[in-house]
């Protein structure tokens, strides 16, 4: 919660970064989304934060700044070290470190 609060203060109130692609708002909804990612996906807090916060920013300098704030709170970087790996099977889709179960097909929209 403190990380989210600091990001909101730095971006929305102090306007230290995040001017491209804004306006930005970081609130309790983001904390709930982060919790949902941790509960429902095979994801850790770094990967979930990367998906929710880091990737939201458009330019690298803004991503670097939010990563500095993350490191201050968690002692780890959320900056990806390599491009994400993609793997699609009949039962799951993996993007980077996150694996999601695929929904069963309910029929083709073209065949009614």
């Amino acid at each position: 919660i403190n990380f989210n609060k600091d990001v909101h203060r730095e971006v929305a109130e102090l306007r230290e970064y995040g001017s491209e692609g804004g306006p930005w708002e970081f609130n309790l909804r983001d904390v709930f989304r982060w919790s949902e990612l941790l509960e429902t996906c095979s994801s850790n807090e770094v990967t979930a934060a990367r998906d929710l916060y880091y990737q939201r920013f458009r330019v690298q300098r803004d991503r670097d700044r939010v990563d500095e704030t993350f490191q201050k709170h968690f002692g780890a970087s959320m900056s990806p070290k390599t491009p994400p790996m993609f793997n699609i099977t009949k039962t799951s889709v993996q993007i980077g470190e996150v694996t999601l179960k695929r929904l069963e097909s309910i029929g083709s929209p073209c065949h009614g």
Side-chain angles (χ1 to χ4, degrees), residues 69-82:
T69 302
F70 185 82
Q71 288 180 47
K72 182 174 71 173
H73 286 272
F74 296 97
S77 174
M78 62 179 156
S79 176
K81 304 300 178 227
T82 59

Side-chain angles (χ1 to χ4, degrees), residues 94-106:
Q94 180 180 358
I95 303 171
E97 299 171 24
V98 176
T99 302
L100 303 170
K101 291 183 181 179
R102 293 181 69 175
L103 296 175
E104 291 186 36
S105 176
I106 56 173

Side-chain angles (χ1 to χ4, degrees), residues 57-94:
F57 292 100
R58 306 282 192 266
V59 296
Q60 190 61 47
R61 70 178 175 273
D62 293 343
R63 290 177 174 181
D64 292 342
R65 285 295 310 274
V66 75
D67 189 46
E68 288 174 20
T69 302
F70 185 82
Q71 288 180 47
K72 182 174 71 173
H73 286 272
F74 296 97
S77 174
M78 62 179 156
S79 176
K81 304 300 178 227
T82 59
M85 176 188 72
F86 294 89
N87 185 29
I88 301 174
T89 69
K90 290 182 179 182
T91 59
S92 67
V93 175
Q94 180 180 358

